[in-house]
């Protein structure tokens, strides 16, 4: 016989494929076998049709295309014999899926087989339907499956229940048809039918609130009886696992009880006794027992259980934390993070055990335990917990120091009630893991020291001591350099010594030694060296005896290959040599930094970063996603915001200034609004006259911010935003003068649902026809207030999108208030392609996140 004829047995083909030594040989064998099968299909070979489908299934599992054999599966299903149908249905489930259009052709065969007198053929049809059922097939065959749920044969009944799960997942509207049959399955004695029935009831609760109410009313008592029977039953070898009777049935019943008891106090009270019995009697030294206990805890925390029962559940999780199995400890930590919102005091009792988990050798357990500890911190335990974490920071792994440091700094900032404790703890963290600390942490420490005049001497002395032992920690060195530059005389003169301090003698030369070491140290970066040069300049004024030495140190860096350091050294040397008369006033101590303003800016920056991360995770095919709610620019770092370089305040022109411009330039200014915004146009004359039509850079990089101490920056600024320079302080905030009329466009309803309405109005400037300002107004049509409201938008690649900050993130109910937001779009193909936009709104209702989205294609023509 030809080795590649349709009559070749399956085992011979498998043997030939396995004998291949290379991938090319295998492809050749498969190609010849597929050619033989195609010939048999074209010749309508019925004798070996089932064998050919079996071969195709094996070839399909190897990853080769087998679509040409799909119709052969349908022919086998239409055969009368059981063997042919079995191969046909197996091929149907393996070679096709619910997205294949050819699947619709098998619906009639399935319907006939579901009504067949042979129970095995009925079982084949139910198996196939449960695996590849589409929404259309579910609607057509739901009645047959519902009828089979009432048959006497337990095997058919079990398969019908599993098939029903697939049907209601595909078509949730059919759930009500299966309520009564599903409830009746919970009374079955057959184990397989019972488990399938419980799973069907669970899925019904997921897809339908009405089903949940119906089953809660009619099935709660039966579920409790099942749980009692299986808990108290004697040894059954077929369902026993490691001495635990039927853990799978236990777990499925507990899951269903959790869904029925959620939000219903009466039903939950009815479940309390059996849950307490299971939590108390189940053995915890076996993995199967732990699985039941974990599911029991989840059920207790998910229903309206009594406080005593919740304490019992949390104590079980506490025992899990002492288990040697890492998986059990990890799920216990996960569950405790949910439980802390329900009963914080009960979780606090296990604080010591949780702290031990932070020191675990397993990285995932360490991180999860650290997150839980962070949630456990409050005003009463902040200090001891911080001490424990800082003690562990000293011996922790390098990979874990970053996460641990971030959490410790967050705890210190959030729960510090006195400045001295805050400074002490921050210095400990900087000394142990200063290289892992983010910039905003040491910025905040500098702001705090600036606002604590009684502790400035103590701080600079503490930093000096810490520098001697931890000079490799970058953030510590930067804070020390800044404080020595500002408060060096306090260090030398022992100003403001506290009772708890030990005597410390530091000379003027010692302070210069520290700064020189920072400049020449191999681990110092450009920022640290720049800050050191500035500190030296300040000390040259405050410590005259060291002036010549400082001048020599600065002169050395005039030839630095780093442009930043070279420029600073040249300018500072010039100040020392030629401008000694103004040097003292130029390098005076920085004014006290506004701590409250810094905290507000920091909070806003954190919120913008969170929004940006969420935005980056949103992907829309063929579009470019923009940052939501107007992340216009990151706020400037606080240390050098002395010149208001990053201020967003607008300038309101007065009548005097307008008269002055009118007399000077012979142009007329119209009245501006209270916000300082005037109609655009007419600025070219003024821009040309003053030569300020080109944009100037207004923001400074964080490195420059952290190192400029009390005088104008000497480095090239890093551009982040562009604005028009207002030399005369008379221009409106947008740098425009009245004189043009914008074309009018009708407002549109961009989006409307039963709960939310969005209106768009438009504004264009004639000189920039491709740019459109969209003013979006959001209105809440529901009876519930929306919080944490975020608007996101995506546009095609030929459009650029910019969102300004929204007026609020709180949207009142019933249209009693609105949120407004300005969206600027630039259509690079204006006149060729219209605007198009996809939008998404995310908000919370009663702390539950909601999402609405839609597409806008009804923009007015000309945009």
């Amino acid at each position: 016989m030809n080795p590649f004829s349709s009559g070749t047995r399956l085992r011979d083909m498998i043997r030939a494929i396995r004998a291949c030594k290379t991938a090319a040989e295998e492809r050749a064998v498969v190609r010849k076998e597929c050619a033989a099968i195609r010939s048999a299909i074209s010749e309508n070979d019925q004798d070996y049709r089932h064998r050919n489908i079996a071969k195709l299934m094996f070839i399909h599992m190897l990853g080769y295309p087998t679509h040409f054999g799909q119709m052969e599966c349908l022919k086998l299903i239409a055969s009368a014999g059981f063997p042919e149908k079995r191969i046909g249905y197996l091929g149907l489930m393996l070679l096709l899926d619910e997205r294949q259009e050819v699947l619709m052709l098998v619906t009639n065969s399935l319907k006939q087989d579901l009504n067949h007198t042979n129970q095995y053929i009925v079982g084949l049809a139910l198996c196939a339907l449960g695996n590849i059922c589409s929404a259309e097939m579910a609607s057509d065959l739901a009645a047959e499956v519902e009828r089979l749920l009432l048959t006497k044969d337990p095997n058919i009944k079990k398969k019908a229940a599993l098939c029903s799960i697939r049907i209601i997942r595909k078509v949730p509207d059919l759930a009500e048809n299966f309520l009564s049959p599903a409830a009746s399955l919970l009374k079955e004695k057959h184990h397989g039918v019972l488990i399938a029935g419980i799973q069907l009831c669970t899925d019904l609760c997921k897809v339908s609130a009405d089903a949940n109410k119906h089953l809660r009313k009619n099935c709660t008592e039966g579920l409790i009886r099942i749980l009692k029977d299986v808990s108290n039953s004697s040894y059954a070898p077929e369902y026993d696992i490691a001495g635990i009777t039927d853990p799978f049935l236990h777990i499925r019943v507990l899951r269903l009880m959790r869904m029925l008891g959620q939000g219903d106090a009466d039903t939950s009270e009815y479940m309390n006794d059996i849950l307490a019995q299971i939590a108390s009697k189940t053995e915890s030294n076996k993995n199967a027992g732990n699985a039941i206990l974990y599911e029991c805890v989840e059920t207790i925390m998910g229903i309206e259980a009594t406080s005593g029962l919740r304490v019992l559940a949390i104590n079980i999780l506490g025992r899990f934390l002492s288990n040697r199995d890492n998986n059990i400890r990890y799920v216990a930590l996960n569950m405790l993070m949910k439980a802390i919102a329900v009963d914080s005091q009960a979780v606090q009792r296990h604080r010591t055990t949780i702290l031990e988990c932070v020191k675990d050798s397993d990285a995932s357990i360490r991180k999860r335990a650290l997150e839980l500890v962070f949630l456990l911190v409050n005003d009463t335990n902040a200090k001891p917990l911080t001490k424990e974490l800082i003690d562990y920071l000293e011996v922790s792994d390098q990979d874990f120091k970053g996460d641990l440091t971030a959490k410790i700094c967050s705890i210190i900032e959030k729960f510090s009630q006195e400045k001295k404790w805050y400074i002490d703890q921050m210095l400990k963290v900087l000394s142990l893991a200063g290289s892992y600390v983010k910039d905003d942490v040491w910025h905040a420490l500098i702001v705090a020291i600036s606002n604590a005049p009684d502790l400035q001497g103590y701080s600079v002395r503490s930093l000096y001591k810490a520098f001697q032992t931890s000079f490799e920690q970058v953030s510590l060195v930067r804070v020390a350099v800044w404080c020595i530059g500002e408060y060096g005389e306090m260090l030398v003169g022992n100003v403001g010594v506290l009772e708890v301090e030990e005597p410390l003698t530091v000379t003027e030369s010692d302070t210069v030694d520290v700064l020189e070491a920072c400049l020449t140290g191999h681990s110092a970066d450009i920022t640290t060296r720049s800050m050191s040069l500035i500190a030296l300049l300040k000390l040259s004024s405050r410590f005259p005896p060291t002036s010549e030495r400082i001048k020599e140190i600065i002169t050395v860096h005039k030839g630095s290959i780093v442009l930043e350091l070279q420029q600073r050294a040249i300018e500072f040397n010039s100040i020392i040599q030629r401008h000694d008369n103004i040097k003292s006033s130029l390098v005076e101590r920085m004014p006290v930094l506004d701590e409250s303003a810094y905290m507000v800016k920091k909070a806003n920056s954190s919120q913008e970063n969170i929004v940006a991360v969420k935005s980056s995770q949103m992907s829309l095919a063929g579009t470019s996603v923009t940052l939501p709610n107007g992340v216009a620019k990151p706020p400037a770092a606080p240390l050098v915001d002395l010149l208001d370089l990053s201020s967003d305040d607008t300038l309101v022109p007065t009548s005097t200034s307008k008269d002055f411009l009118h007399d000077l330039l012979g142009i007329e200014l119209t009245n501006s609004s209270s916000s300082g915004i005037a109609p655009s146009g007419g600025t070219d004359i003024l821009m040309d006259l003053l030569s300020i039509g080109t944009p100037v850079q207004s923001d400074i990089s964080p490195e420059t911010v952290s190192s400029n101490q009390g005088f104008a920056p000497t480095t090239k600024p890093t551009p982040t935003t562009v604005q028009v320079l207002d030399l005369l302080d008379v221009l409106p905030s947008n740098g425009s003068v009245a004189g043009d009329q914008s074309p009018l466009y009708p407002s549109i309803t961009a989006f409307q649902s039963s709960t939310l309405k969005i209106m768009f109005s438009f504004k264009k400037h004639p000189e920039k026809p491709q740019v459109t300002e969209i003013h979006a107004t959001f209105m809440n049509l529901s009876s519930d207030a929306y919080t944490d409201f975020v608007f996101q938008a995506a546009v095609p690649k030929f459009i650029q999108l910019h969102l300004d900050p929204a007026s609020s993130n709180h949207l009142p109910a019933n249209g009693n208030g609105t949120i407004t937001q300005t969206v600027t779009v630039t259509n690079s193909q204006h006149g060729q392609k219209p605007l198009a936009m996809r939008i998404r709104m995310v908000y919370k209702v009663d702390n539950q996140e909601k999402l609405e989205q839609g597409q806008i294609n009804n923009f007015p023509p000309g945009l």
Side-chain angles (χ1 to χ4, degrees), residues 6 22 64 67 90 101 110 187 192 243 281 301 396 438 471 491 505 554 564 571 599 653 663 686 776 818 844 855:
S6 61
T22 64
Y64 295 96
H67 55 278
L90 184 58
E101 293 183 3
L110 279 169
K187 302 174 184 177
K281 298 178 89 174
M301 304 308 294
S396 62
K438 295 182 180 178
F471 57 86
L491 174 62
T505 302
I554 292 177
E564 172 84 10
E571 292 176 356
M599 296 308 293
D663 294 340
L686 182 62
T818 61
K844 289 184 179 179
Q855 184 156 342

Side-chain angles (χ1 to χ4, degrees), residues 701-742:
S701 66
E703 291 77 16
T704 306
V705 167
S706 62
S707 56
N708 282 297
Q709 305 183 16
F711 59 94
T714 61
T715 60
K716 296 189 293 296
T718 301
T720 55
T721 61
V722 175
Q723 65 184 25
V724 174
L725 181 62
D726 189 359
L727 295 179
L728 300 178
D729 286 340
V730 295
L731 286 181
S733 62
N734 60 357
S736 62
V737 185
D740 73 275
Q741 296 295 329
S742 303

Side-chain angles (χ1 to χ4, degrees), residues 639-665:
L639 301 184
V640 210
D641 202 10
L642 303 176
L643 304 177
D644 280 338
L645 295 177
S646 62
S647 175
D648 291 329
D649 297 338
T650 55
L651 298 172
V652 182
T654 63
S655 60
T656 304
S657 65
K658 285 186 287 186
D659 292 341
F660 167 74
L661 279 180
H662 176 72
D663 294 340
L664 179 66
L665 304 175

